[in-house]
Amino acid sequence: GAGVSQSPSNKVTEKGKDVELRCDPISGHTALYWYRQSLGQGLEFLIYFQGNSAPDKSGLPSDRFSAERTGGSVSTLTIQRTQQEDSAVYLCASSLQKQETQYFGPGTRLLVL
Amino acid sequence: EDQVTQSPEALRLQEGESSSLNCSYTVSGLRGLFWYRQDPGKGPEFLFTLYSAGEEKEKERLKATLTKKESFLHITAPKPEDSATYLCAVQGGVTGGGNKLTFGTGTQLKVEL
């Protein structure tokens, strides 16, 4: 079946602009996660959605970062007033339940000039 | 705070030369230890989940084992197509952080003919 999909695959933006990254989880998966992978760093947790519960935002690095999940499916990660240090690969994952194996999408490569 | 350390950072093997990758971890209440494979420019691909000390899982030339402090990924008679970065992650049981994965920085494996 179809895996996790993300768009765009690559995004180049100028410092100070806002960007939106999209994630389509595997159909039927109730849990959705966003991670960030910077060069030479491990994957860093950003935010987690489970069903209709309030999201776990404990990993968001600043209030410039926000995410929403509409209808329990598609999620959008928004970065406002982008900075050069936001340049990274943003990865989305989904799982059947909150403690199940997480399956990752291909990522969005963000470059802030 | 959950921590994961992987060693070595990089490993070069000749085809057929077996070896092991190490993942040391500290976690409050391990819910699961995960191994992923990541190819350049792609998202992590799930390999194994281990839940308790003594557990072992195998897939083709890969075998993952788990103790209370570390996990090993054994690669038997590797082939060039096994070249990738191997990521280890833990899911802990501390409230408020029990759903996210904490990743190591990975071992970059290159298998040469």
Side-chain angles (χ1 to χ4, degrees):
Chain A
V4 177
S5 60
Q6 294 186 244
S7 61
S9 53
N10 293 282
K11 176 73 177 177
V12 180
T13 190
E14 293 179 348
K15 179 181 170 182
K17 299 279 177 120
D18 298 351
V19 295
E20 283 190 354
L21 313 179
R22 177 187 167 106
C23 171
D24 278 279
I26 294 171
S27 178
H29 280 195
T30 60
L32 186 149
Y33 307 77
W34 284 97
Y35 293 85
R36 176 169 72 174
Q37 187 173 34
S38 305
L39 202 60
Q41 307 269 336
L43 276 79
E44 172 193 15
F45 167 76
L46 296 177
I47 188 169
Y48 155 72
F49 296 90
Q50 170 63 46
N52 296 320
S53 302
D56 174 359
K57 304 179 183 180
S58 60
L60 294 179
S62 77
D63 58 9
R64 296 186 297 105
F65 288 71
S66 63
E68 62 177 20
R69 189 178 184 192
T70 54
S73 181
V74 171
S75 177
T76 302
L77 177 69
T78 301
I79 309 173
Q80 296 179 309
R81 305 181 302 280
T82 52
Q83 303 295 312
Q84 288 180 333
E85 61 262 29
D86 298 334
S87 296
V89 178
Y90 289 83
L91 290 157
C92 175
S94 70
S95 65
L96 195 57
Q97 298 291 340
K98 62 181 180 180
Q99 292 179 31
E100 296 286 333
T101 297
Q102 296 178 26
Y103 295 90
F104 284 82
T108 293
R109 281 144 196 83
L110 175 66
L111 178 61
V112 182
L113 300 175
Chain B
E1 186 179 331
D2 301 343
Q3 288 191 326
V4 177
T5 303
Q6 292 187 247
S7 62
E9 289 185 9
L11 181 62
R12 221 169 191 151
L13 298 174
Q14 295 296 312
E15 184 176 14
E17 180 186 2
S18 301
S19 188
S20 296
L21 313 183
N22 178 264
C23 170
S24 298
Y25 65 91
T26 56
V27 65
S28 297
L30 180 71
R31 289 184 175 174
L33 184 140
F34 301 81
W35 283 98
Y36 289 85
R37 167 192 171 127
Q38 187 173 27
D39 292 295
K42 297 192 175 181
E45 174 191 344
F46 171 70
L47 294 174
F48 302 109
T49 309
L50 301 168
Y51 294 103
S52 58
E55 191 174 359
E56 299 183 351
K57 287 195 177 169
E58 284 188 71
K59 179 181 177 181
E60 295 179 355
R61 295 177 293 282
L62 300 177
K63 178 179 176 180
T65 62
L66 180 66
T67 73
K68 289 185 178 180
K69 294 183 179 180
E70 56 191 350
S71 176
F72 292 93
L73 185 65
H74 307 279
I75 304 177
T76 302
K79 298 182 177 181
E81 53 261 43
D82 295 322
S83 298
T85 296
Y86 290 84
L87 300 172
C88 173
V90 295
Q91 189 175 51
V94 176
T95 55
N99 301 308
K100 69 174 184 179
L101 294 178
T102 299
F103 280 85
T105 51
T107 293
Q108 194 170 14
L109 173 65
K110 182 154 178 68
V111 182
E112 300 171 330
L113 290 169

